[in-house]
């Protein structure tokens, strides 16, 4: 009897600029997982392995995640897979079945370049999921997932091997346990712009961005902000710059169609935070007509961060304390 059921089958592609990303040195993978049945929005997940490896030349590595036996996203959270070495299992067995799978995969990839879920609902996508479920012999009854090299990768001699994998929904705080964002800053048209990527939250999440100051040697070296008519949204604590995340990328606007990143020159520093047991008050002035060494932070609540950058940036400030210029490279920093 066929184990394939579109309503309980989910599929995602990794590599070549499509829906997934290889993160944290190859031991953590992030996917946009699409349902083969009636659900039309993706579920973002992490696959975490205690031992993990992706072997292929850059630009030729592709992997496919298949989740079966799960009617809803909640049912797949925390399921495990272990002890599979797909390179040993498949590379030496390029029979007619594998070659048929390669043809299906190439059809799917023609549609996947759109970076939407349309490819998953194409007839070729459904036939690929059916082929893996019914013919490859890796799917068993009940909730499970398999992360396996695509037939295209196998034919190129690439392999994926894992032990003790766990699949998690990218929700709440789980992503912060495995992934750290990266940021870049540049001077553009007289302003300082910052980009941030690899933010481990699901699409549409509002995050609380802020900045610490290296020169302020205290347990609470954070800048407080004043709201401005044209600047980014400032939270109630005045430490938080409210931004939105899509595809792991920072947006100043709530709209995914807007330009990613944030114009730091539109921010108005208003002082320095001073944490007490129950309150955060404003003390001292921020530097004016000088320089500051600052670093981005993402706050969990009030002045308690999920993450603080290790690398700092030096910004020039004007008579109002606003950032006018940044020194150094525009490359991504940790």
């Amino acid at each position: 009897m066929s184990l394939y059921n579109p309503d309980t089958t989910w599929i995602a592609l990794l590599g070549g600029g499509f829906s997934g990303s290889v993160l944290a040195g190859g031991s953590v993978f992030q996917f946009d997982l699409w349902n083969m049945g009636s659900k039309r929005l993706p579920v973002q997940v992490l696959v975490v392995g205690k031992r993990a490896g992706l072997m292929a030349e850059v630009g030729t590595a592709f992997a496919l995640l298949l989740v079966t036996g799960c009617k809803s996203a909640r049912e797949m959270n925390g399921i495990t897979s272990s002890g599979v070495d797909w390179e040993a299992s498949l590379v030496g067995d390029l029979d007619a079945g594998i070659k048929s799978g390669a043809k299906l995969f190439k059809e799917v990839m023609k549609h996947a370049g759109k970076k939407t879920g349309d490819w998953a609902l194409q007839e070729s996508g459904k036939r690929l999921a059916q082929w893996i479920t019914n013919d490859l012999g890796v799917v068993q009854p009940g909730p499970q997932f398999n992360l396996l090299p695509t037939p295209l990768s196998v034919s190129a001699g690439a392999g994926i091997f894992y032990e003790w994998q766990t699949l998690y929904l990218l929700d709440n705080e789980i992503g912060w346990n495995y992934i750290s964002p990266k940021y870049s800053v540049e001077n553009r048209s007289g302003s300082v712009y910052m980009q941030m990527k690899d933010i481990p939250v699901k699409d549409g999440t509002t995050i609380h961005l802020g900045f610490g100051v290296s020169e302020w040697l205290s347990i609470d070296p954070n800048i407080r902000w004043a709201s401005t008519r044209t600047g980014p949204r400032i939270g109630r604590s005045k430490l938080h710059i409210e931004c939105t995340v899509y595809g792991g990328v920072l947006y100043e606007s709530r709209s995914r169609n807007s330009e990613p990143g944030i114009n730091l020159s539109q921010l108005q520093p208003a002082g320095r935070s001073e944490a007490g047991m129950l309150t955060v008050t404003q003390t001292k002035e921020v530097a004016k007509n000088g320089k500051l060494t600052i670093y981005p932070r993402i706050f969990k609540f009030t002045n308690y961060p999920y993450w603080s950058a290790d690398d700092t940036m030096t910004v020039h400030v004007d008579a109002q304390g606003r950032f006018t210029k940044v020194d150094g490279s525009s490359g991504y920093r940790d």
Side-chain angles (χ1 to χ4, degrees):
M1 183 179 71
S2 173
L3 294 174
Y4 176 74
N5 179 342
D7 288 330
T8 61
T9 302
W10 308 69
I11 193 169
L13 296 176
L14 169 72
F18 299 110
S19 63
S21 302
V22 182
L23 302 174
S27 62
V28 180
F29 292 78
Q30 180 177 331
F31 289 92
D32 289 342
L33 195 60
W34 298 87
N35 182 253
M36 306 299 293
S38 58
K39 301 173 182 64
R40 291 294 180 264
L41 293 176
V43 174
Q44 293 174 306
V45 300
L46 297 179
V47 175
V48 180
K50 289 186 179 178
R51 180 175 77 94
L54 176 65
M55 298 196 319
E57 294 181 6
V58 175
T60 64
F62 293 92
L64 185 146
L65 175 65
L66 187 76
V67 178
T68 55
C70 296
K71 293 182 180 179
S72 68
R74 289 295 170 189
E75 291 181 15
M76 68 181 73
N77 190 42
I79 58 177
T80 59
S81 175
S82 64
V84 178
D85 186 337
W86 293 111
E87 185 181 34
S89 301
L90 298 179
V91 168
D93 188 22
L94 296 175
D95 57 14
I98 297 294
K99 292 177 182 178
S100 297
K103 292 180 181 179
L104 285 173
F105 176 73
K106 289 178 180 178
E107 289 182 43
V108 171
M109 295 302 290
K110 293 177 182 178
H111 304 287
K114 300 176 183 178
K115 297 186 180 182
T116 71
D118 292 344
W119 62 268
L121 299 177
Q122 296 284 336
E123 185 61 31
S124 57
K126 294 177 181 179
R127 288 192 290 125
L128 179 61
Q130 291 176 12
W131 173 77
I132 295 170
T133 304
N134 297 329
D135 297 334
L136 199 56
V138 299
V139 176
Q140 305 299 321
Q144 68 167 288
F145 74 91
N146 286 282
L147 179 60
L148 60 157
T150 66
L152 183 62
S153 292
V154 172
S155 65
I160 293 179
F161 45 91
Y162 289 91
E163 290 180 357
W164 304 295
Q165 297 164 292
T166 304
L167 185 148
Y168 297 104
L169 296 181
L170 187 60
D171 200 359
N172 298 324
E173 301 180 18
I174 184 66
W176 298 104
N177 295 332
Y178 300 101
I179 302 169
S180 292
K182 296 179 177 62
Y183 77 96
S184 67
V185 283
E186 64 175 336
N187 298 304
R188 189 194 311 168
S189 303
S191 296
V192 180
Y193 280 83
M194 187 180 80
Q195 305 278 349
M196 187 175 288
K197 65 178 183 177
D198 294 348
I199 305 171
V201 298
K202 63 183 180 181
D203 283 1
T205 298
T206 296
I207 62 168
H208 309 306
L209 174 68
F211 288 88
V213 179
S214 295
E215 290 89 343
W216 296 345
L217 301 178
S218 75
I219 62 171
D220 191 39
N222 303 308
I223 299 175
R224 288 172 60 88
W225 311 96
S227 297
T228 59
R229 185 173 60 84
T230 59
R233 293 169 285 147
I234 305 300
R236 292 178 61 186
S237 74
K238 304 304 181 183
L239 297 179
H240 302 163
I241 305 156
E242 307 289 24
C243 300
T244 309
V245 177
Y246 295 104
V249 174
L250 181 79
Y251 285 76
E252 179 179 321
S253 168
R254 291 187 177 95
S255 171
R256 188 171 194 163
N257 295 323
S258 62
E259 182 180 2
I262 181 171
N263 184 347
L264 300 184
S265 295
Q266 289 188 337
L267 293 164
Q268 178 59 65
R272 167 182 170 177
S273 64
E274 188 71 28
M277 289 296 293
L278 299 174
T279 61
V280 177
T281 58
Q282 177 178 333
T283 66
K284 302 184 180 179
E285 269 193 352
V286 180
K288 296 180 179 179
N289 292 319
K291 295 182 180 182
L292 279 178
T293 306
I294 64 174
Y295 52 93
R297 317 185 83 182
I298 295 178
F299 291 105
K300 182 176 182 180
F301 53 82
T302 315
N303 63 329
Y304 183 80
Y306 283 115
W307 168 84
S308 293
D310 294 325
D311 288 351
T312 61
M313 54 179 160
T314 300
V315 292
H316 298 243
V317 299
D318 62 16
Q320 286 74 47
R322 294 198 180 197
F323 305 156
T324 60
K325 180 182 176 183
V326 62
D327 294 339
S329 169
S330 61
Y332 276 97
R333 319 176 189 199
D334 296 320

